[in-house]
Amino acid sequence: MHHVKIIRCATPEEVGKRAADMYTALLQEKPACLLGLATGSTPLPLYRELVKRCEAGELDFSRVRSANLDEYKGLSGDHPQSYRYFMNTNLFDHINIDKARTIVPDGLTSDVEAMCEAYEEKIEEWGGIDLQLLGIGHDGHIGFNEPCDTFVGKTHEVELEELTREANKRFFNSIDEVPTAAYTMGIGTVMSARKVLLVATGKDKAEIVKKSFFGPVTPMVPASILQFHPDVTVIADEAALSLID
Ligand code: GLP
């Protein structure tokens, strides 16, 4: 079991700033790094901070590559709720990254197996993920790796849990529009990253943060596997850490 670094912040904005400091350090050390990126509301303050630092000339993404964790099955990159669209509008459109060097699983693929295999190969070809960003779902999912009997290694298709669809329906007109499946990097893909950064904010994440990092390692709590990763940093606000002293 490895020691997980936990950074306690007063506010979600501070979480964004402390997380951005890790990117500032990484980009200095390795300007052509591969970033594993995530969607959800928790990374937004971080993305705003990265945009700000890039605009201020403090960060240069010109040689950076990125691979996103997941995508909804059936949504095209132009769909406002697709994760490709989320990444473009919240980050890529505002920084000097070459979008041709950013990948997100293809929600419209007609050959799931080939798409997933190609996704893994691209990550490998690009030298492996240097820093994998993660949010956390209320059931402990990372990417869209839902609670399950076994940890699934590679990029694959998943059925979404009702809890997850409920949590994400706020972005859609109704629950019926929330896709029932998705493509996600596997637990193995995430675990192969050299460094992992998990961000969590809000009281509603307190219980799952505690379970994930201080409870038993089990595929029923997918994030718990991170206890076995040698370099994990959790940056969270007081609310999300309120059950941990
Ligand atoms: C989604 C994403 C996850 C994300 C989770 C939590 O299901 N697939 O990658 O971590 O939601 O989202 P939020 O940060 O909005 O709570």
Side-chain angles (χ1 to χ4, degrees), residues 25-39:
L26 174 62
L27 265 62
Q28 248 158 32
E29 189 188 308
K30 192 170 177 186
C33 58
L34 173 56
L35 303 179
L37 297 176
T39 56

Side-chain angles (χ1 to χ4, degrees), residues 38-43 69-70 72 83 134-138 141-144 146 164 168 170-171 199 201 204-205:
T39 56
S41 42
T42 316
L69 277 171
D70 49 8
Y72 286 117
Y83 286 168
L134 299 173
I136 186 166
H138 294 106
H141 71 250
I142 49 179
F144 269 135
E146 296 279 21
T164 302
N168 291 357
R170 63 189 194 276
F171 303 111
V199 287
T201 54
D204 57 314
K205 295 288 171 70

Side-chain angles (χ1 to χ4, degrees), residues 191-221:
M191 290 296 280
S192 318
R194 291 181 190 94
K195 264 180 196 294
V196 173
L197 163 61
L198 185 139
V199 287
T201 54
K203 201 158 180 35
D204 57 314
K205 295 288 171 70
E207 192 143 345
I208 195 63
V209 167
K210 184 176 182 191
K211 256 190 171 172
S212 300
F213 295 101
F214 297 92
V217 174
T218 160
M220 291 311 293
V221 182

